[in-house]
């Protein structure tokens, strides 16, 4: 086979057919092949995965990923050369050879990403400090470790499968064992008669049935040994001890023929072997593990629902405006995507064409759909309701809001609330105390109990060990926290650590920033006044921007050019006003931000200063600043080479939900203070509209921090809500920092709670969630502590002298499992709470 493999050319391929003796053969034309400019594979038109028309030429690709890569940067692959692979250059339509099909087959699958090949890590839901490279039991408490990778969509059910298999096998041996011993427990005639030899036959049959069951309890024994080795006694210490003691003693008694206290009565003699409690306890413990593992899977439902929000496929718009479907995981920033009515937004982006309404309730908690048009941002995972949209991807993969939420939720669910630390301390001494009680029970019954005293002693000691398993106690807090944080994520309340959520219900002072927290955070320039030689012109103060003459536009151009590098909302408003007017931003040098004042920069050789600069209030301009303040606008001054040259009036509308949220919080007895770097007049106007009595205006970031510090030092439980870089220090200083989801990354990092929607109604929701979680934890602790407080004395036999009541170890094992399930079931109720 010969092929001319020049870049950018059609490659003619001819195949010489084989010949038989006496028969002449002629070359037969083979199909013309095209080079995939991305991966350089050879493809034929009929079997190409996709084709793209660019500058009048058609290019063929072996798979859709290559087609998408070409559409992102066609010049990179064409190089602007004259000769292109075009459809018109194809001269043959024959099928490709089998060898070519085999060659191309290897390129139809993509290579695994770096994230996919990264080794996973696992942690304990009760002990987040434990991190291992492999799944398995926690060395401290024995619970199954969970993956640290919150975005892992394929769940590891290996332990659940293993426990289910063990339970089914154990049940198959335990049922006949119970049937064999049931007549004795009911004081009925024994199947084998009263002879000692027949009694021994019964014991050996019980031994044969119980041994496989106890062998199936191997995970419990391993975890019990680990707990002793690590000096961290837990529920498996008690289960392993109870089952092991019962079985070993019974096996010893059987092997030595008579055991302790042999009598001719078979029912009495058989009471000295405890194979059935060992088997039943193991079977019930396995059942308890299955129920617990299934319940714990439900607590992670919030993360799985978040993962499921984002579709797996996106409609990618190629350079020729046609669409192909590619995996969302393959998207890159800048990709253009089409979203049809009823579909989920595939990734975070900006609308570049079309208009529609978007249901964002699954991420923000807001019931009303949000209208979207060109220039508006959209969030991956939200639902496009009515119109068709074309969006440009701005964040993909782990950069998206949904991915960030998943990460925060997973981290928060692994964090520990203060109440959990107290429970841990109690649990650390609880197990040793239970062991001592079991030993004391054995000694007391052996010395003082009725005959057969050793039988009673062993039964009651094992019952104490089994029923006192602290699994319910250990699950009480983490299960409530996990479910509550997942529920909050679905309502737009992202909890970064459990302590913040637990303490939020105790807050008695809420300090809020103004811009971006109480207001929309999207200020706009509503008026500009030119100032000549330090004197105001006689222009009307409310003259609209689009009515200003050219000198005003020049002033706006200089101010916007200087503010181009600023992140402050007021600076962005000036830049947006200039862009809206079509003004060109000039290069700026020596940019400098002055905390709490404004910025300076050099533009066109002039020193430009933009900001509050309160020292100018004494130069005759305070009246104009006050006038704008009365209108709820902020006055920003412009200096050119040290000469005051213009005044900008910037307004930021109050959020529609702010007043109701403040009213709801005040009804709960929370004091609300407003801090802002804005002028006193503007701040007071906003405070009056919202019914706020405590206002501190014209404060710097350091003063905000100090203000919070004084409140905390006075003994108040303080929450701070803000959205800007200037709020970061105050957010970190407060007992609970609350960041608006539309704020800066610095503020979000400093906060313990993030509100996706970015309004104070989220705080109301978070408070309800905090109160519900605290109530649920208290209920769980009552169930756990109350259960153990009542169960241990009964198991020890304290009620026997009065009512003759004893607790069989098998019943204790069942009660122990049900107590854990009751705690988990109660925690799952938080999923239904209305926020």
């Amino acid at each position: 086979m010969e092929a001319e493999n020049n870049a950018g050319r059609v490659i003619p391929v001819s195949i010489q057919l084989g010949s038989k003796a006496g028969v002449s053969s002629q070359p037969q034309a083979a199909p013309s092949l095209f080079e995939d400019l991305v991966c350089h594979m050879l493809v034929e038109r009929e079997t190409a995965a996709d084709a793209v028309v660019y500058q009048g030429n058609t290019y063929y690709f072996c798979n859709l990923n290559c087609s998408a890569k070409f559409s992102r940067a066609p010049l990179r692959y064409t190089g602007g050369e004259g000769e292109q692979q075009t459809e018109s250059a194809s001269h043959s339509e024959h099928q490709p050879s089998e060898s070519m099909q085999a060659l191309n087959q290897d390129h139809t699958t993509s290579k695994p990403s770096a994230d996919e090949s990264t080794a996973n890590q696992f942690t304990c839901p009760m002990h987040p400090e434990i991190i291992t490279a492999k799944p398995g039991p926690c060395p401290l408490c024995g619970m199954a470790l969970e993956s640290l990778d919150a975005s892992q969509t394929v769940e590891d059910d290996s332990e659940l499968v293993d426990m289910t298999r063990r339970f089914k096998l154990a049940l198959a041996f335990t049922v006949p064992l119970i049937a064999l011993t049931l007549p004795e427990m009911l004081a009925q005639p024994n199947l084998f008669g009263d002879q000692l030899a027949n009694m021994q036959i019964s014991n050996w049959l019980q031994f044969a049935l119980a041994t496989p069951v106890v062998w199936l309890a191997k995970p419990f024994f391993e975890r019990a040994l680990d707990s002793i080795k690590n000096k961290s006694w837990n529920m498996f210490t008690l289960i392993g001890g109870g089952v092991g003691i019962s079985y070993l003693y019974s096996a010893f008694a059987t092997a030595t023929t008579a055991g302790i206290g042999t009598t001719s009565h078979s029912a009495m003699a058989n009471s000295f072997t405890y194979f059935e409690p060992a088997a039943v306890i193991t079977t019930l413990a396995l059942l308890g593990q299955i129920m617990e593992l299934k319940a714990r899977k439900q607590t992670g439902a919030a993360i799985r629902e978040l993962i499921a929000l984002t579709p797996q496929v996106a409609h990618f718009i190629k350079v020729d405006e046609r669409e192909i479907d590619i995996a969302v995981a393959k998207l890159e920033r800048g990709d253009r995507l089409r979203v049809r009515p009823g579909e989920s937004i595939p990734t975070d982006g900006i609308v570049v064409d079309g208009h529609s309404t978007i249901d964002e309730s699954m991420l923000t908690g807001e019931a009303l759909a949000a209208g979207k048009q060109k220039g508006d941002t959209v969030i991956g995972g939200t639902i496009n309701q009515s119109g068709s949209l074309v969006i440009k991807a701005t964040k993909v993969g782990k950069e998206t809001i949904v991915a960030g939420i998943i990460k925060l939720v997973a981290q928060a669910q692994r964090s520990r609330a203060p109440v959990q630390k107290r429970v841990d301390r109690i649990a650390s001494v609880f197990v040793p105390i239970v062991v001592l009680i079991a030993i004391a029970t054995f000694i007391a019954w052996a010395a003082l109990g009725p005959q057969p005293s050793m039988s009673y002693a062993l039964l009651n000691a094992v019952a104490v060990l089994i029923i006192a398993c602290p699994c319910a106690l250990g699950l009480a807090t983490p299960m409530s926290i996990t479910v509550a944080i997942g529920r909050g994520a679905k309502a737009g309340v992202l909890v970064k650590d459990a302590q913040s959520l637990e303490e939020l219900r105790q807050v008695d002072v809420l300090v809020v920033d103004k811009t971006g927290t109480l207001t929309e955070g999207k200020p706009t320039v509503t008026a500009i006044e030119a100032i000549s030689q330090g004197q105001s012109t006689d222009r009307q103060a409310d003259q609209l921007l689009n009515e200003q003459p050219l000198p005003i536009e020049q002033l706006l151009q200089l101010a916007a050019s200087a503010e181009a590098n600023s992140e402050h909302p007021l600076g962005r408003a000036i830049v947006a006003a200039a862009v809206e007017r079509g003004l060109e931003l000039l290069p700026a040098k020596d940019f400098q931000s002055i905390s709490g004042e404004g910025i300076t920069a050099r533009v066109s050789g002039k020193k430009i200063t933009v900001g509050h600069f309160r020292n100018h209030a004494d130069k005759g301009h305070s009246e104009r600043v006050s006038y704008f303040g009365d209108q709820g606008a902020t006055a920003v001054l412009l200096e050119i080479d040290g000469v005051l040259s213009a005044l900008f009036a910037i307004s930021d509308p109050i959020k529609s939900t702010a007043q109701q949220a403040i009213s709801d919080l005040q009804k709960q007895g929370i004091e609300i203070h407003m801090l802002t770097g804005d002028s006193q007049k503007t701040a007071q106007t906003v405070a009056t509209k919202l019914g706020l009595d405590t206002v501190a205006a014209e404060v710097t970031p350091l003063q905000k921090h100090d203000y919070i510090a004084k409140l905390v030092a006075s003994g108040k439980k303080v929450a701070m809500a803000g959205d800007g870089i200037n709020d970061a220090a105050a957010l970190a200083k407060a007992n609970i920092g609350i960041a608006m989801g539309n704020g800066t990354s610095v503020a979000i990092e400093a906060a313990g709670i993030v509100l996706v929607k970015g309004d104070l109604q989220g705080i109301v929701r978070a408070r309800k969630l905090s109160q519900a979680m605290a109530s649920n934890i208290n209920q769980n602790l009552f169930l756990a502590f109350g259960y153990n407080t009542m169960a241990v004395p009964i198991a020890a036999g304290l009620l026997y002298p009065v009512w003759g009541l004893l607790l069989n170890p098998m019943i204790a094992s069942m009660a122990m499992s049900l107590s854990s399930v009751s705690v988990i079931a109660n925690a799952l109720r938080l999923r239904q709470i209305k926020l």
Side-chain angles (χ1 to χ4, degrees), residues 248-330:
L248 291 175
Y249 169 77
S250 301
F252 175 79
T254 300
T256 55
T257 306
I260 303 173
T262 302
T263 131
S264 60
H265 192 279
S266 63
M268 182 70 72
N270 275 338
S271 68
F272 292 116
T273 58
Y274 307 103
F275 290 116
E276 75 282 357
V280 173
I281 290 169
T282 297
T283 304
L284 291 175
L286 288 169
L287 176 61
Q289 285 293 290
I290 293 171
M291 297 171 70
E292 179 184 313
L293 288 168
K294 287 184 176 180
R296 282 172 58 190
K297 281 184 63 177
Q298 294 184 51
T299 65
I303 288 181
R304 290 192 294 275
E305 289 176 14
L306 287 170
I307 292 173
L309 286 178
T310 306
Q312 299 300 308
V313 175
H315 307 309
F316 178 88
I317 301 177
K318 302 183 294 183
V319 68
D320 59 6
E321 299 302 320
R322 292 184 295 176
E323 298 174 22
I324 56 173
D325 289 345
I326 66 173
V328 170
K330 299 293 184 181

Side-chain angles (χ1 to χ4, degrees), residues 51 84 122 154 164 191 208 236 266 271 328 527 612 658 670 677 682 764:
Q84 308 290 349
F122 300 83
V154 179
T164 303
L191 296 175
F236 295 105
S266 63
S271 68
V328 170
H612 294 298
I670 299 176
T682 303
V764 178

